[in-house]
């Protein structure tokens, strides 16, 4: 059977992936674990999320399904942060003899949860319609993620990567993590590009160690289980309580939808949009860099490289009106939050000066509005100003935010194959 779980944690502690790792161990005493667990990231703009809008699913084989239902729901009751207003766990069980009949609907639900916004009622209706065993705690919002994770386990057609999560011993939760930074840089040096986003070389930062009170010590992301395991073998840290390797939709751009008109864009959705830069980028208070992008209908939208994107903003500041770009990212509060940008065509820009006098070489002065230029000393005149093309300090190509600003779902440039334009990884 498949067990999908979501929404068990709060900002103060716990993590649904940790519960999944614990359950794997406990269930293995009376059930057989099949394949690696799944960790899916859903719509990144959902306001109810604690951190990365994750949910998990396990695949097991077991004769005593009642015992599994009981064990899992009791574990969630005892471990979830139920006192927290925003924690509304959900768990869904899909039995093996239901797999074929529910596959299509659950897979579509999963894809929808990554791209769209779903209501709790829609989730409850689907669970009932498909006759699934489920338990909704409190308002049951977690059912949305739990059903989606089951859909991901059943759906065989999505792109995936892997994450190795190492968890801390319980006594130290909430305290500062001890992970030797040098060992993480070494893990990256040896295993990149099979693993990624362990460190950020440009900003000289460790990226894979969280800072919140949850049980995760570090997470290594990569293309397959053996690569992430290899990278983890280099890491020197405080004692690790347990580890778990997940198959995941992280780094796949699964949240993005192609859109050609800004009028079709909806809040809380994520897109790939092509257009023309229509204003000089400006940097506002807080260090966010913003420019407007115009589509073929003439509509415009603000596009932002927010402060956490660090050096990526320097690239964005080099854009000028007329440049053609494709932006990748999410839309909230009428602003397109850029995760990647493809610069496809650079506009030509000119420096315009008064012409030089052919006799003395000095710049002529304006002879009055619409009357051209005149050299005061020599009396020479000209109607044409000097126009010099400005060399642009940026190249067409595909650019991404640095690892320290990467969103879970954003596909790393190193994962793109057959790109026509040069690729500039943000690390
Ligand atoms: P956790 O580690 O507990 O999973 P998180 O950062 O992943 O933390 P959650 O606490 O799971 O966030 O909160 C996200 C909530 O939003 C969940 O209840 C989930 O079911 C719900 N949700 C996820 N995707 C969507 C969506 N597309 N539309 C509406 N609600 C969603």
């Amino acid at each position: 059977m498949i067990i999908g779980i979501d929404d068990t944690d709060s900002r103060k502690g716990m993590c649904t992936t940790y519960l999944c790792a614990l359950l794997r161990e406990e269930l293995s005493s009376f059930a057989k674990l099949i394949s690696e667990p799944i960790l899916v990231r859903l719509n990144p703009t959902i306001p109810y999320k604690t951190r990365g809008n994750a949910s998990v699913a396990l695949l097991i084989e077991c004769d005593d399904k009642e015992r599994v239902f009981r064990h899992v729901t009791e574990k969630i009751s005892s471990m979830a942060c139920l006192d927290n207003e925003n924690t509304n766990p959900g768990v869904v069980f899909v039995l093996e003899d239901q797999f074929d009949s529910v596959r299509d609907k659950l897979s579509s639900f999963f894809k929808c949860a990554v791209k769209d916004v779903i209501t709790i009622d829609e989730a409850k209706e689907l669970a009932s319609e498909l006759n699934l065993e489920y338990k909704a705690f409190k308002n049951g919002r977690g059912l949305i993620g739990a059903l989606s994770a089951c859909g991901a386990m059943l759906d065989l057609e999505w792109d995936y990567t892997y994450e190795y999560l190492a968890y801390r011993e319980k006594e130290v939760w909430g305290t500062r993590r001890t992970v030797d930074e040098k060992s993480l840089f070494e893990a990256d040096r040896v295993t990149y590009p099979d693993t990624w986003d362990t460190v950020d070389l440009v900003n000289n930062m460790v990226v894979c160690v969280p800072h919140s009170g949850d049980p995760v010590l570090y997470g290594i992301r990569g293309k397959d289980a053996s690569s992430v395991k290899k990278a983890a073998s280099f890491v020197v840290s405080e004692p690790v309580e347990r580890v778990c390797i997940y198959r995941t939709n992280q780094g796949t751009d699964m949240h993005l939808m192609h859109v050609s008109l800004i009028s079709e864009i909806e809040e809380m959705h994520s897109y790939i949009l092509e257009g023309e830069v229509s204003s000089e980028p400006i940097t506002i208070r807080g260090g966010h860099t913003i420019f407007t992008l115009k589509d073929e209908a003439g509509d415009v939208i603000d596009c932002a490289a927010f402060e956490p994107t660090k050096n990526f903003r320097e690239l964005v500041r080099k854009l000028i009106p007329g440049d053609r770009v494709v932006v990748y990212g999410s839309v909230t509060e009428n602003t397109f939050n850029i995760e990647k940008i493809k610069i496809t065509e650079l506009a030509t820009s000119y420096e315009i000066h008064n012409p030089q006098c052919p006799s003395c070489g000095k710049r002529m002065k304006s002879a009055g509005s619409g009357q051209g230029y005149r050299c005061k000393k020599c009396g020479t005149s000209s109607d044409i100003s000097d126009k010099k093309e400005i060399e642009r300090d940026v190249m067409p190509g595909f650019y991404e935010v640095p690892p320290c600003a990467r969103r879970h779902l954003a596909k790393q440039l190193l994962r793109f194959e057959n790109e026509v334009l040069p690729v500039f990884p943000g690390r």
Side-chain angles (χ1 to χ4, degrees):
M1 80 171 80
I2 298 169
I3 308 166
I5 308 172
D6 195 16
D7 206 345
T8 63
D9 67 2
S10 75
R11 280 193 187 276
K12 291 203 191 112
M14 259 299 286
C15 169
T16 305
T17 71
Y18 180 71
L19 186 63
C20 173
L22 269 186
L23 278 172
R24 261 171 77 80
E25 183 182 309
E26 293 174 2
L27 293 174
S28 68
S29 66
F30 60 96
K32 188 171 159 205
L33 303 174
I34 318 279
S35 80
E36 60 271 281
I38 278 182
L39 159 59
V40 280
R41 300 288 177 174
L42 306 175
N43 186 337
T45 69
I46 292 296
Y48 320 110
K49 67 180 181 181
T50 312
R51 283 175 294 266
N53 203 3
S55 69
V56 297
L58 290 165
L59 180 61
I60 62 162
E61 228 171 67
C62 180
D63 296 330
D64 192 350
K65 58 180 198 226
E66 294 300 330
R67 185 170 173 197
V68 175
F69 298 163
R70 225 177 22 250
H71 187 98
V72 173
T73 43
E74 279 171 11
K75 194 76 189 168
I76 295 174
S77 305
S78 67
M79 292 207 59
C81 304
L82 292 169
D83 297 341
N84 185 277
E85 190 198 343
N86 240 337
T87 302
N88 298 284
V91 55
V92 175
F93 303 90
V94 186
L95 303 178
E96 196 182 350
D97 58 12
Q98 297 178 303
F99 284 7
D100 288 338
S101 62
V102 303
R103 189 185 307 274
D104 287 352
K105 286 208 165 148
L106 283 184
S107 316
S108 311
F109 189 86
F110 159 50
K111 285 173 183 136
C112 188
V114 176
K115 295 182 162 77
D116 223 320
V117 182
I118 297 175
T119 63
I120 301 173
D121 283 347
E122 283 169 324
K124 286 187 176 162
E125 275 160 30
L126 182 66
S128 306
E129 178 198 325
L130 300 180
N131 270 324
L132 301 175
E133 186 78 32
Y134 71 89
K135 176 143 176 73
F137 296 78
K138 297 165 65 187
N139 76 16
R141 182 170 288 116
L143 277 183
I144 300 168
L147 283 167
S148 307
C150 293
M153 187 63 94
L154 284 167
D155 187 343
L156 308 170
E157 286 179 353
W158 47 283
D159 181 21
Y160 54 83
T161 61
Y162 282 81
E163 179 155 14
Y164 177 109
L165 281 171
Y167 299 99
R168 316 183 71 192
E169 293 188 322
K170 189 147 193 216
E171 306 77 66
V172 295
W173 290 6
T175 65
R176 204 184 150 85
R177 289 163 174 85
T178 311
V179 186
D180 178 47
E181 293 206 350
K182 269 203 215 123
S183 71
L184 293 170
F185 279 90
E186 181 63 3
D188 174 77
R189 193 188 63 75
V190 178
T191 59
Y192 180 89
D194 293 343
T195 67
W196 47 77
D197 295 352
T198 303
V199 295
D200 182 329
L201 292 183
V202 174
N203 296 294
N204 194 25
M205 278 165 79
V206 164
V207 177
C208 67
V209 179
H211 300 286
S212 48
D214 66 274
V216 174
L217 181 58
Y218 60 85
I220 305 276
R221 296 170 178 200
K223 69 172 193 182
D224 52 34
S226 62
S227 304
V228 292
K229 233 193 245 175
K230 181 173 172 191
S233 71
F234 287 87
V235 183
V236 177
S237 72
E238 65 183 51
V240 170
E241 190 218 60
R242 67 186 62 240
V243 302
C244 192
I245 298 179
Y246 299 85
R247 188 158 71 88
T248 169
N249 64 347
Q250 290 168 175
T252 64
D253 273 355
M254 195 178 187
H255 58 318
L256 302 179
M257 296 177 280
H258 283 273
V259 68
S260 49
L261 292 175
I262 290 166
S263 58
E264 287 168 3
I265 283 180
E266 289 179 75
E267 280 285 301
M268 294 170 69
H269 289 70
S270 307
Y271 297 100
I272 300 174
L273 169 71
E274 183 172 2
E276 186 181 304
V277 175
S278 58
S279 73
E280 296 282 350
I282 51 162
T283 298
I284 60 169
R285 223 173 60 187
H288 315 303
T289 300
I290 319 247
F291 65 89
T292 54
L293 189 75
K294 187 170 73 179
D295 67 8
E296 61 196 42
D299 288 326
V300 293
I301 187 164
D302 280 346
C303 293
F306 287 108
E307 190 283 329
T309 64
K310 305 288 172 206
N311 51 306
F312 182 71
R313 295 169 301 163
E314 286 160 26
L315 169 89
V316 170
R317 286 178 197 136
K318 292 177 181 170
L319 296 172
I320 60 169
D323 286 343
R324 289 209 62 85
V325 298
V326 184
V327 285
Y328 295 62
S330 302
V331 177
T332 49
E333 295 174 27
N334 280 322
T335 303
F336 198 107
N337 175 357
I338 311 172
E339 294 165 9
K340 286 190 280 285
I341 190 165
K342 204 182 257 190
I343 304 176
T344 53
E345 241 179 273
L346 290 174
T348 322
S349 91
Y350 298 95
E351 259 173 7
I352 296 177
H353 296 287
N354 292 2
Q356 278 181 307
C357 168
S359 308
C360 70
K362 285 210 165 142
R363 296 247 170 240
M364 297 180 181
K365 296 270 185 274
S366 168
S369 164
Q371 295 176 59
Y373 304 91
R374 179 163 301 131
C375 177
K376 280 200 172 147
K377 191 172 152 213
C378 311
T380 51
S381 62
S382 170
D383 288 336
I384 309 157
S385 47
D386 270 357
K387 201 169 155 193
K388 197 171 139 222
E389 192 174 325
I390 300 174
E391 211 177 303
R392 299 286 305 275
D393 181 23
V394 61
M395 271 175 30
F398 203 178
Y399 300 82
E400 65 184 353
V401 301
C404 67
R406 184 107 55 222
R407 293 179 108 183
H408 298 292
L409 276 164
K411 181 165 163 176
Q412 293 73 8
L413 290 186
L414 66 87
R415 296 202 69 239
F416 281 79
E417 282 164 13
N418 311 321
E419 253 310 310
V420 189
L421 287 165
V423 164
F424 299 98
R427 75 193 236 113

